[in-house]
DNA sequence: AATGCCTCCCGTCAGGTCCA
DNA sequence: TGGACCTGACGGGAGGCATT
């Protein structure tokens, strides 16, 4: 796999995310209210903790979601090959019946 | 060796759905 | 109705492969 663990590690430790780096306007945690007039404020400890918890849960949810999707796609591909075989068998059977006028 | 393209996996955000 | 959860979309990193 192409995972070094660095990304996961940095995300888990609350470093600046890739998204924040490429989209500076979104650098503020969603659930931290910033007061406009007095400039940027530090997120409270509790807000940061809640954000990290939310990101961690969403990270796990996304992994589970992708795993389910992979399994479903595998199921569909298996189903396709089964139905294709079935279709070929039925076609062969029809051809046989036509040739022998059954 | 350098480069470009493709594919896979990941983390994050945003928006939708569900349920207490 | 607010919070928890799910999932599509997006963009980045890394590996593999062909081409130069």
């Amino acid at each position: 796999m192409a995972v070094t663990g660095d990304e996961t590690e940095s995300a888990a430790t609350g470093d600046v995310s890739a998204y924040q780096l490429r989209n500076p306007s979104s650098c503020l945690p969603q659930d931290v209210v910033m007061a406009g007039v007095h400039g940027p404020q530090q997120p409270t400890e509790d807000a940061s903790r809640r954000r990290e918890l939310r990101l961690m849960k969403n990270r796990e949810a996304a992994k589970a979601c992708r795993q389910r999707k992979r399994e479903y796609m595998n199921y569909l591909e298996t189903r396709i090959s089964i139905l294709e075989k079935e279709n070929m068998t039925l076609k062969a059977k029809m051809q046989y019946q036509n040739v022998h006028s059954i």
Side-chain angles (χ1 to χ4, degrees):
Chain A
M1 201 166 39
V3 175
T4 62
D6 293 340
E7 264 188 44
T8 304
E9 185 64 24
S10 63
T13 52
D15 290 351
V16 175
S17 69
Y19 179 83
Q20 288 167 342
L21 282 174
R22 76 177 109 85
N23 193 2
S25 65
S26 298
C27 282
L28 307 180
Q30 290 179 320
D31 49 358
V32 176
V33 177
M34 308 302 251
V37 280
H38 300 298
Q41 292 182 341
Q42 286 291 346
T44 66
E45 188 130 343
D46 186 56
S48 294
R49 190 186 56 79
R50 279 188 285 110
R51 172 179 160 78
E52 282 311 308
L53 188 64
R54 181 169 52 75
L55 289 180
M56 190 183 73
K57 282 188 175 182
N58 188 246
R59 202 177 300 139
E60 296 304 313
K63 281 180 187 171
C65 179
R66 286 172 180 138
Q67 177 64 25
R68 282 192 295 272
K69 191 172 183 176
R70 275 192 292 271
E71 286 170 2
Y72 181 59
M73 294 304 289
N74 287 339
Y75 161 77
L76 289 180
E77 283 169 7
T78 303
R79 187 87 181 113
I80 285 170
S81 39
I82 288 172
L83 291 174
E84 281 175 346
K85 279 181 190 169
E86 194 177 322
N87 195 31
M88 281 174 56
T89 304
L90 289 172
K91 279 181 177 175
K93 194 175 175 180
M94 279 183 60
Q95 195 169 4
Y96 178 86
Q97 288 175 346
N98 285 341
V99 167
H100 294 84
S101 302
I102 301 177

